Amino acid sequence: MASGDDDKSYWNATAEPTRFPQLKGDMEVDVAIIGGGIVGITTARLLKEMGKTVAVIEARRVGREVTGKSTAKMTSQHSIIYQTLERKFGEDRARLYGEAQERAIREMQRLATHYEVSADIEAMPAFCYTRDEKHVAEIEKEVEVTQRLGLPASLVRGDIGLPYDVLAAIRFDAQAQFHPTRYVAGLAETLPGDGSHVFENSRAVDWEPTRVVTDTGTVSAAIVVMATHLPLGQVGGYYAMAYPKAEPVIVAPIGRAPPGMYINAEQPSHSIRTHRGPDGKIYAIAAGQSFKPGHTDEERQNFADLERWLASFDAGPIAYRWVNEDYTSMDSAPFIGWSSSTRDGYLVATGFDAWGISNGTAAAMILADLATGKDGHPWLDVFDSTRIKPVAGGGEFVKENASVAAHLVAGYLSSKPKDYDALEPGQAAIMKIDGDNVAAFKDETGTVHAVSAVCSHMGCLVGWNETDRTWDCPCHGSRFELSGRVIHGPATRPLGSKITG
Ligand SMILES: Cc1cc2nc3c(=O)[nH]c(=O)nc-3n(C[C@H](O)[C@H](O)[C@H](O)COP(=O)(O)OP(=O)(O)OC[C@H]3O[C@@H](n4cnc5c(N)ncnc54)[C@H](O)[C@@H]3O)c2cc1C
């Protein structure tokens, strides 16, 4: 039975499929890039412009993972972030963060125009608002900080185009929204030729700083970029410095289309933007409150909350629903650059905190410069991936790692049945069978799909993602199909097999 189906995402379902070949045999290029999301494909495109040969090695299909499951806002308005960055990193580095996002948005527009990529890029203001008195001062402060940093911000109140009035909002002008799967696939189409390649269905299962190995071939290169969302395995220790958050996403036709992109400052979080679908209807793409991957009860609650909220936009029946994940770094800034301060490792980019469209493009701009020997990129002052200890991230770091320790021992029991017979059709559970932790799901025909519940990355117990029918690791964010096959790293090996019946 299929699970983790990429077409659950509205963006993936409304994009043409890509058909790049699988890597077969051995080859050599200047730069090997593992991962064909926005970071990998943009890095490849920029490197090719700089005269380098590249090979993108993508485990599944380009653009269809985290990027193709996002809400795809192109904005430097990242909810409440600049006052946090200013507090933790100082004014100059907070300014660099904003500059990187604004430049990245312009770079995406340049790439789409130059390569004639049809990605439905539309100019749109971005708002972060509150309806809660407790957050008004925070919004006002964010306006004050962002104006001082030179960002296109203003303070607005009352009617901002939503079905309800707000107490305060920050408005960023000259922002945009786009179709993420078409954008990444369109850029990828421009890569093959003149010694450069894109490979799909080619999962990296082993790696060295100058070589990438899949089950069907190898790519040797002077430099390897790990654009796999989180670096694979234990590279750079980022799995312990950035933690995964899952979010519910729903898509429905709406009668009251708001004229912007919106997110609120308080919890539960509600984010919305619109897109005209192939049938001419206006669809809302809405994301809700985050939860720990594999925590089924929170997943249910957060989807229900999001649906209730979306109803106020005169929403029709829900057409798509899926869960997407991103990593939050312990000090709020992404990690971009070399995985080791001695520069003998990999180029990496991670920890985008659900703002990796602009951050991911900025990352590609930095990585392309580093890969061509240009050192000292100014934006590294804020993003440097080798900063030893995340600045001021201590409390969060301890809390998250304690939670990982708990999942190594106990896991999250999403439901109670103790053996296969006790499972209802459509039900999943973690159970002990012959002393082993087993992740079992009984489908509607009564067939049980059972695999080891122990994540192949670092041994946490996986939990059930009811919407996508996948097993998701709460500790480091790996995701697996019902068969145990990897969907999303840092794991690269499947869950162990278990007898099914
Ligand atoms: C609900 C949600 C909404 C979001 N909305 C926004 C938004 O509106 N604006 C914004 O700026 N950001 C948004 N984000 C964040 C943004 O989508 C991500 O940060 C960004 O897309 C990450 O891009 P990436 O290239 O790092 O990862 P991906 O797009 O996941 O690309 C990584 C690729 O690497 C491949 N890969 C992994 N392991 C291997 C391997 N072993 N071998 C080969 N290939 C491998 C994967 O298959 C994948 O295709 C959102 C995130 C979430 C969770």
Side-chain angles (χ1 to χ4, degrees):
M1 162 180 258
S3 72
D5 184 349
D6 291 347
D7 286 348
K8 277 181 178 288
S9 148
Y10 168 82
W11 303 119
N12 293 348
T14 56
E16 289 296 309
T18 50
R19 305 199 189 286
F20 296 104
Q22 190 176 48
L23 173 65
K24 293 222 165 79
D26 302 337
M27 60 177 311
E28 194 169 340
V29 289
D30 295 329
V31 183
I33 297 166
I34 315 176
I38 195 162
V39 174
I41 294 296
T42 313
T43 306
R45 186 55 266 171
L46 296 179
L47 283 169
K48 197 169 171 186
E49 283 186 353
M50 294 169 175
K52 297 289 174 192
T53 57
V54 295
V56 176
I57 302 136
E58 164 56 44
R60 293 162 71 88
R61 293 280 175 196
V62 298
R64 289 177 178 251
E65 284 308 307
V66 179
T67 304
K69 297 172 184 170
S70 69
T71 46
K73 300 173 179 173
M74 294 162 59
T75 178
S76 56
Q77 203 297 302
H78 292 179
S79 191
I80 303 293
I81 177 93
Y82 292 96
Q83 56 194 276
T84 311
L85 291 172
E86 187 177 45
R87 198 177 65 246
K88 293 183 178 177
F89 292 85
E91 179 176 331
D92 288 348
R93 288 193 275 175
R95 181 174 291 107
L96 283 179
Y97 181 98
E99 179 192 304
Q101 312 309 317
E102 284 287 316
R103 285 269 308 282
I105 296 167
R106 309 302 151 230
E107 184 67 356
M108 289 179 70
Q109 286 163 329
R110 177 189 77 82
L111 289 170
T113 306
H114 184 76
Y115 295 103
E116 299 180 349
V117 173
S118 157
D120 299 351
I121 296 180
E122 284 176 87
M124 249 334 136
F127 297 85
C128 175
Y129 67 88
T130 187
R131 301 170 76 189
D132 180 344
E133 200 62 63
K134 291 203 285 291
H135 290 269
V136 170
E138 194 180 37
I139 295 273
E140 289 168 348
K141 167 92 176 161
E142 193 74 359
V143 175
E144 181 270 307
V145 172
T146 48
Q147 285 180 340
R148 183 155 40 78
L149 298 180
L151 290 161
S154 53
L155 180 65
V156 283
R157 302 186 200 270
D159 181 2
I160 58 168
L162 292 170
Y164 41 78
D165 280 358
V166 304
L167 292 177
I170 180 166
R171 173 186 167 120
F172 272 34
D173 286 303
Q175 311 294 295
Q177 59 188 20
F178 76 127
H179 191 305
T181 313
R182 286 191 199 145
Y183 175 79
V184 174
L187 277 188
E189 296 290 351
T190 71
L191 291 171
D194 303 322
S196 291
H197 308 265
V198 176
F199 299 110
E200 293 187 317
N201 292 318
S202 303
R203 184 171 293 280
V205 292
D206 201 4
W207 47 86
E208 295 164 17
T210 55
R211 205 163 78 104
V212 180
V213 180
T214 73
D215 286 335
T216 53
T218 62
V219 178
S220 301
I223 289 175
V224 172
V225 177
M226 272 203 186
T228 50
H229 196 216
L230 190 72
L232 298 175
Q234 300 182 18
V235 165
Y238 296 105
Y239 66 88
M241 295 192 287
Y243 57 95
K245 287 198 292 200
E247 286 177 36
V249 187
I250 56 177
V251 173
I254 50 168
R256 302 172 73 171
M261 309 179 288
Y262 303 83
I263 190 163
N264 58 340
E266 59 268 36
Q267 293 192 352
S269 170
H270 298 134
S271 159
I272 190 168
R273 59 155 290 184
T274 55
H275 182 255
R276 186 177 293 279
D279 57 4
K281 289 184 191 162
I282 300 290
Y283 286 85
I285 297 91
Q289 180 61 39
S290 64
F291 55 95
K292 209 172 253 307
H295 280 222
T296 324
D297 293 343
E298 278 183 72
E299 177 192 337
R300 279 183 201 151
Q301 277 165 23
N302 296 1
F303 267 106
D305 166 72
L306 186 60
E307 279 181 46
R308 274 194 303 274
W309 175 73
L310 191 64
S312 61
F313 291 81
D314 283 346
I318 299 204
Y320 297 86
R321 64 176 71 229
W322 67 90
V323 172
N324 198 19
E325 271 183 28
D326 207 350
Y327 294 90
T328 299
S329 93
M330 294 302 174
D331 61 11
S332 312
F335 294 106
I336 302 169
W338 291 101
S339 64
S340 98
S341 49
T342 47
R343 292 159 191 238
D344 52 1
Y346 307 86
L347 286 171
V348 298
T350 194
F352 299 135
D353 195 21
W355 295 109
I357 297 302
S358 53
N359 267 312
T361 303
M365 294 161 81
I366 296 172
L367 298 182
D369 273 4
L370 295 177
T372 47
K374 293 187 201 113
D375 277 345
H377 195 294
W379 299 343
L380 286 175
D381 273 0
V382 59
F383 297 123
D384 181 9
S385 47
T386 61
R387 57 190 191 272
I388 307 284
K389 179 162 89 49
V391 184
E396 210 47 15
F397 187 85
V398 170
K399 201 172 82 201
E400 281 302 321
N401 280 318
S403 152
V404 165
H407 281 95
L408 280 165
V409 179
Y412 175 74
L413 301 182
S414 56
S415 50
K416 306 292 178 211
K418 296 275 186 272
D419 56 37
Y420 299 158
D421 288 343
L423 281 173
E424 298 292 333
Q427 196 180 17
I430 306 290
M431 49 182 71
K432 280 263 187 214
I433 306 277
D434 304 330
D436 294 332
N437 286 303
V438 173
F441 169 70
K442 185 178 275 183
D443 69 24
E444 280 69 12
T445 69
T447 303
V448 174
H449 304 259
V451 286
S452 166
V454 180
C455 180
S456 60
H457 173 228
M458 291 190 69
C460 288
L461 291 192
V462 296
W464 180 235
N465 173 336
E466 186 170 68
T467 307
D468 297 336
R469 293 196 165 177
T470 58
W471 294 107
D472 296 356
C473 177
C475 298
H476 307 116
S478 294
R479 299 186 62 187
F480 302 88
E481 294 178 357
L482 290 179
S483 65
R485 239 167 61 124
V486 180
I487 298 171
H488 183 282
T492 54
R493 300 281 173 194
L495 295 173
S497 59
K498 203 70 201 166
I499 299 157
T500 56

